[in-house]
Structures are given as C-alpha cells and as structure tokens.
Amino acid sequence: MSAAVPRLGWDQLPAHLRQTFTTDMGGSVTDEHRQSGGFSPGMASRLTLSNGRRVFVKAIHPDRDPRAVELYRREIRIAAALPAGLPAPELLWTYDQDDWVALAFADIDGRHPAEPWGTDDLDRVVDALAVLADQLTPSPVATVSLIEDLAENFSSWRRLAATPRAPELDQLPAWAHQNLDLLAHLEAGWEKGASGATLVHSDLRADNLLLTPERVWVIDWPYAATGAAYMDLLLLLPSVAAGGVDPEPVWRRYGPANEADADSVNAVLAAIAGDHLTQSQRPAPPNIPTLRAHQRAKGEAALAWLRTRLKDG
C-alpha cells in the first residue's frame, strides 16, 4: 500500500542546512540511499557519514508540501519526548530555519513488511503492537487526543448525509451511497470507541514499520495522539486488508481489542471508511500523486470489513 513519490536528495538541500548537519554530526555525507516508500515528497534518505555513523534524515520545505512542515515540527516534539527503550529510532538532530525543517534519526537496518502482507510479518507486527500499547499506557507524552485530532476527518458521513447534492456522493461505492444514513449513525459513535489514555501512532502502514531479526520498529510519529489502546491495529488493518488479508481473525486475536465492544469498533471503522473515501476524491496534494489511490483502496477495504461485521453481528 505504500507508493513511490518524488524525493529530494541530500544535494538538493540548502548549503547552510547541510553544513550545520555536517558540523553537528561530526562528519560529512559519503553515501546516500533515498527511500521510496511513504507519502511525503521531502527528503527521506539513509546517509553514511565520514566518521562511520549511519543516520536517517528527513527534510521538508513548504514549496514541496505546505502542510508537511508543521507535521515535521510536531514529529520533533513527539520524538524528543518518547521514552528510551521503545522500538522507535532515537532522534539525533533537528533543524528549523528559513522554512526548512529537518530531523535525523539513528538508522535502523531493517526492512518494511512485504506487501501484500504475509502471515509471518503480520503476526510479528500484531504481537509488537500489543506490547507497545502496554508500554505507552498511560501516554508518556503530552499531546492532542485522537478525538480532537480527527474530529473533522471522522465526520465525513454525517456531512454527506446533511448535503444530499454533495459531489462526493456520486463517487462512493454503491452500498455506501445506499446506506448513507446508517453510516452517518454509526460514525456518530466513533469518539466513544477511540477514546483512551494510550499514546497511539495513528498512521501505521507497512512503510512506517521496520523489521529486524530481533524487533519490530515503529517509525514516523508526527500524528501521535492519545486514544484507545487498540486503535493502532484498527487503523492499520484496512491497508492490510486491501492486499487480500481477512482482517477479522487478526483483530479477534489482538489482546487490546478485548477492551472494545463491537458497536464501538464498528463506529470507528465507519469513520475510517468515510474519511478515506471522501479524502480520495480531493485533488492530489503537491508532489504526492499516488496518495488518493492509496486512500481509496483503504476506504474500500474498511467499508468491506465493516459490512462483514454488520452482517455477522
């Protein structure tokens, strides 16, 4: 479900940023491997330095994506506050000057889960998320709640139901169009299902996970917020399901999911589906041409899972 987007390279960053990095890190860049996954059009590269250090650097300017600059700043605050010992790369260096924002992390020599997802990778990730949810409850970081962060996104069905001639209606899957009132009713209960005291990554996909032989690492934390302990898997599973995996058996064996009642899960699933299906109809953001197709696939997968749960429930 991840997709290549145009990336900046190290030599395309401003000279002062590169010089500051070289001075602060004690070595010049001798090798660069650009990373192609994800949906940010900034720089995302693994760098080798002349002193032997290996780091991962990401950098953005509003000319590439105006919205991403504030997300990078938010990630700086989150990453700096994460406690030691979590499976999250250590933040080593930051830069925020002349509209450029950059972060350097300890490089993790791992791989992303294979897509379509296989059983072995998925089992490892699910087990790791259960441990991580326990480590992050209560949240060790002061940040916004999912309820606050997703309030607008997770009101899509209700907005469409109140706007009978909304152009998005014509592009919805037929079942969603025919059951708009039901979806709006379900969505209205999402806050109860998502509320909680756990720090939730809230943007998990294969490209935000790295697998090493010993550990599952969770990277890219700008959307972290507080919510229910099971939310990360619930938000991840539509992208897994889009590759052909039945999400329900995975969900049922997930320990934190035992805390959720079926109606609450259905409410959040309805909200997820509505968010992705309406977002997918908007013009593509600057330099991210593949994002809308990705959102459409996740929205359709979330909706299909919800329909199955409603039928079986």
Side-chain angles (χ1 to χ4, degrees), residues 107-171:
D107 184 52
I108 304 301
D109 187 13
R111 63 172 179 85
H112 299 301
E115 295 183 284
W117 283 73
T119 301
D120 290 346
D121 284 356
L122 185 55
D123 286 347
R124 287 189 64 193
V125 168
V126 170
D127 290 344
L129 291 183
V131 174
L132 185 62
D134 184 63
Q135 292 175 303
L136 294 177
T137 305
S139 173
V141 177
T143 187
V144 299
S145 70
L146 287 175
I147 308 308
E148 176 184 352
D149 216 29
L150 296 175
E152 181 177 352
N153 295 63
F154 280 11
S155 62
S156 301
W157 296 126
R158 285 166 287 172
R159 176 178 58 81
L160 291 176
T163 315
R165 296 185 181 180
E168 297 101 316
L169 290 171
D170 294 335
Q171 302 301 319

Side-chain angles (χ1 to χ4, degrees), residues 32-167:
E32 175 184 14
H33 288 279
R34 299 188 193 184
Q35 305 302 293
S36 59
F39 296 96
S40 169
M43 176 189 171
S45 294
R46 286 172 156 168
L47 303 179
T48 302
L49 309 185
S50 57
N51 58 11
R53 299 182 77 176
R54 292 176 51 190
V55 297
F56 172 78
V57 174
K58 57 194 302 183
I60 195 68
H61 186 274
D63 286 348
R64 298 292 294 177
D65 184 351
R67 182 169 173 265
V69 173
E70 285 307 315
L71 282 175
Y72 277 41
R73 290 180 176 135
R74 179 169 162 178
E75 183 173 8
I76 289 172
R77 296 191 294 271
I78 296 294
L82 290 175
L86 292 179
E90 179 186 2
L91 178 65
L92 302 175
W93 175 86
T94 64
Y95 180 97
D96 189 346
Q97 187 172 324
D98 300 326
D99 290 330
W100 280 94
V101 181
L103 303 80
F105 293 91
D107 184 52
I108 304 301
D109 187 13
R111 63 172 179 85
H112 299 301
E115 295 183 284
W117 283 73
T119 301
D120 290 346
D121 284 356
L122 185 55
D123 286 347
R124 287 189 64 193
V125 168
V126 170
D127 290 344
L129 291 183
V131 174
L132 185 62
D134 184 63
Q135 292 175 303
L136 294 177
T137 305
S139 173
V141 177
T143 187
V144 299
S145 70
L146 287 175
I147 308 308
E148 176 184 352
D149 216 29
L150 296 175
E152 181 177 352
N153 295 63
F154 280 11
S155 62
S156 301
W157 296 126
R158 285 166 287 172
R159 176 178 58 81
L160 291 176
T163 315
R165 296 185 181 180

Side-chain angles (χ1 to χ4, degrees), residues 211-244:
L211 308 183
T212 67
E214 300 83 16
R215 207 170 194 188
V216 175
W217 292 83
V218 180
I219 63 176
D220 290 345
W221 289 76
Y223 291 99
T226 55
Y230 49 77
M231 280 297 296
D232 266 335
L233 186 64
L234 191 56
L235 290 163
L236 170 66
L237 281 176
S239 65
V240 176

Side-chain angles (χ1 to χ4, degrees), residues 2 9 64 78 83 89 105 120 132 150 158 166 172 175 185 195 202 206 259 265 271 273-274 290 300-301:
S2 60
R64 298 292 294 177
I78 296 294
F105 293 91
D120 290 346
L132 185 62
L150 296 175
R158 285 166 287 172
L172 291 175
W175 186 90
H185 173 74
S195 297
S202 84
E259 303 171 15
V265 174
T290 57
E300 290 178 350

Side-chain angles (χ1 to χ4, degrees), residues 10 14-25 27 93 95:
W10 173 251
H16 185 262
L17 188 161
R18 288 181 284 136
Q19 182 56 55
T20 301
F21 174 86
T22 297
T23 300
D24 292 348
M25 299 299 290
W93 175 86
Y95 180 97

